[in-house]
Amino acid sequence: MADSTASAPPAAPHPADRPADRPVYVIGGGPGGLAAAHALRAQGVRAVVLEKSDQVGASWRRHYDRLHLHTTRRLSSLPGLPMPRRFGRWVSRDNVVRYLEKYAEYHRLEIVTGVEVSRVERAPDGSGWLLHATGGRRLTGAAVVVATGYNHTPRIPDWPGRASFTGEFLHASAYRNPAPFAGRDVLVVGVGNTGAEIAVDLVEGGASRVRLSVRTAPHIVRRSTAGWAAQYSGVLVRRLPVWLVDRLARPLARISTPDLSAHGLPRPDTGLLSRAAEGAVPVQDVGLIDAVRTGRVEVVAAVEAFEDGKVVLADGSRVEPDAVIAATGYVRALEDLVGHLGVLDARGKPVVHGGRTPPHAPGLYFQGFTNPISGMLRELALDARKIAKAIARQTPGASRLPG
């Protein structure tokens, strides 16, 4: 007897599985992901944002209380909705969060919260991308925009003996305000924008002593000079040769910022744009210069190890703070998500961004993984439009919005 199942017709594919009906998935509900989703909608392409937390802008909600954008309100708006003038020129953390919430609502973005994507790989039929997500979900998209954020996973150096330190230790991502550190001796490790601002915050909040551990002297610029924002200069020079910007920046730095060499913070011997290209953007002064010059923030050498409850510095000295705050940056943490696709460089950053897609991974885009001197929010807004145009032009299988 013939097998009774041999003549059974194959099951019809679910509509969501048909290549022509696949949405574009945007991984991450921060500014980059929301901007990309709106730009795609503006091109008539259905975009679904997958956000692992229960709200948009999750990383912004975790930033320290006093944080304000170092870029102007006008040049920090996302496509299709200006930031309100009442937010002021330098927008606060809380107002950034309000803006992102309003942005998602205003543009009626399709956002699914509580869904974390763990791996992206080519769809079995080769015509799209398969996303593995929480709850055993397997989602197939015509294209994918990875926008999980520049500051994704806290990075803490593997300092010898750190586990034996008896004082309080925390990464800057866990710092909120200076109240818990009033009257205490605090060592801040790292002199990026976050470390510099936390050090000033601690001084103004009543810490008894604040030391700032510096490995490499940063470029320090005034956030604004006579009304001219540092960001404006960044926009003007962003396409000039690196060597030329480095050369122009040196005399300007001597005019605009004092020499703090006597206080342990010499002028850097590397070029401003050269350092920025490596990921070390200039520190915008929000009080650090005066705090260092007056001795309220003491600059000390880099941290080498922890030993007998003390912190060992690169110059051989030892300090014994009550608390250590590691402002040592973040990693992108993209290896598990897309590392197997050969789309990351040696530092774990995407090899392309904006409207470009890796030649061997067509339909995979990256948004918000650069930190240019012209302003991250400004650049990711521009990249959102480039990504949307590229997908609309090159991905015919993407779902189209009605009308």
Side-chain angles (χ1 to χ4, degrees), residues 20-269:
D21 291 327
R22 291 171 178 169
V24 173
Y25 284 110
V26 179
I27 307 175
L34 299 181
H38 164 63
L40 284 163
R41 285 181 61 89
Q43 291 288 328
V45 177
R46 182 187 172 208
V48 178
V49 178
L50 304 176
E51 167 55 45
K52 69 177 181 179
S53 74
D54 59 356
Q55 305 172 92
V56 299
S59 64
W60 280 92
R61 299 172 192 273
R62 295 192 297 268
H63 285 312
Y64 49 93
D65 295 349
R66 74 173 277 157
L67 177 67
H68 284 68
L69 293 179
H70 291 162
T71 53
T72 66
R73 181 194 73 253
R74 276 199 323 109
L75 295 185
S76 300
S77 296
L78 302 181
L81 185 67
M83 287 188 176
R85 293 189 62 169
R86 68 177 183 276
F87 284 0
R89 194 182 195 197
W90 311 106
V91 182
S92 70
R93 176 204 64 184
D94 289 347
N95 279 335
V96 171
V97 172
R98 292 187 183 98
Y99 173 71
L100 295 178
E101 292 173 338
K102 181 64 177 179
Y103 191 86
E105 176 188 356
Y106 180 82
H107 290 303
R108 299 180 181 178
L109 302 181
E110 190 173 350
I111 300 171
V112 183
T113 59
V115 175
E116 181 174 9
V117 179
S118 57
R119 184 178 175 89
V120 176
E121 58 189 33
R122 293 295 297 180
D125 64 6
S127 65
W129 293 93
L130 179 65
L131 285 67
H132 297 265
T134 48
R137 294 177 178 88
R138 292 165 61 88
L139 309 169
T140 305
V144 173
V145 180
V146 179
T148 49
Y150 192 85
N151 295 336
H152 186 276
T153 301
R155 185 186 75 86
I156 299 177
D158 188 19
W159 288 305
R162 185 177 69 82
S164 65
F165 181 61
T166 56
E168 183 178 0
F169 182 95
L170 67 154
H171 187 269
S173 59
Y175 177 86
R176 293 294 172 268
N177 58 63
F181 304 96
R184 301 173 69 190
D185 182 336
V186 186
L187 173 67
V188 180
V189 185
V191 70
N193 278 293
T194 297
E197 189 157 5
I198 287 177
V200 173
D201 200 31
L202 289 164
V203 165
E204 295 177 354
S208 63
R209 186 175 190 179
V210 177
R211 282 173 283 210
L212 181 60
S213 172
V214 177
R215 183 172 298 277
T216 304
H219 288 272
I220 303 176
V221 299
R222 300 286 188 184
R223 186 169 67 175
S224 179
T225 302
W228 179 266
Q231 183 187 11
Y232 297 163
S233 298
V235 172
L236 290 175
V237 306
R238 74 191 191 285
R239 301 201 185 281
L240 293 179
V242 172
W243 66 267
L244 178 59
V245 178
D246 286 349
R247 181 173 295 180
L248 293 173
R250 291 189 185 100
L252 292 175
R254 295 190 188 98
I255 295 171
S256 62
T257 58
D259 186 357
L260 299 174
S261 299
H263 303 280
L265 206 57
R267 295 190 189 279
D269 54 9

Side-chain angles (χ1 to χ4, degrees), residues 156-169 303-312 318-322 324:
I156 299 177
D158 188 19
W159 288 305
R162 185 177 69 82
S164 65
F165 181 61
T166 56
E168 183 178 0
F169 182 95
V303 171
E304 291 294 322
F306 291 75
E307 189 176 293
D308 299 328
K310 298 180 181 179
V311 183
V312 182
R318 295 167 182 250
V319 296
E320 194 172 1
D322 300 318
V324 173

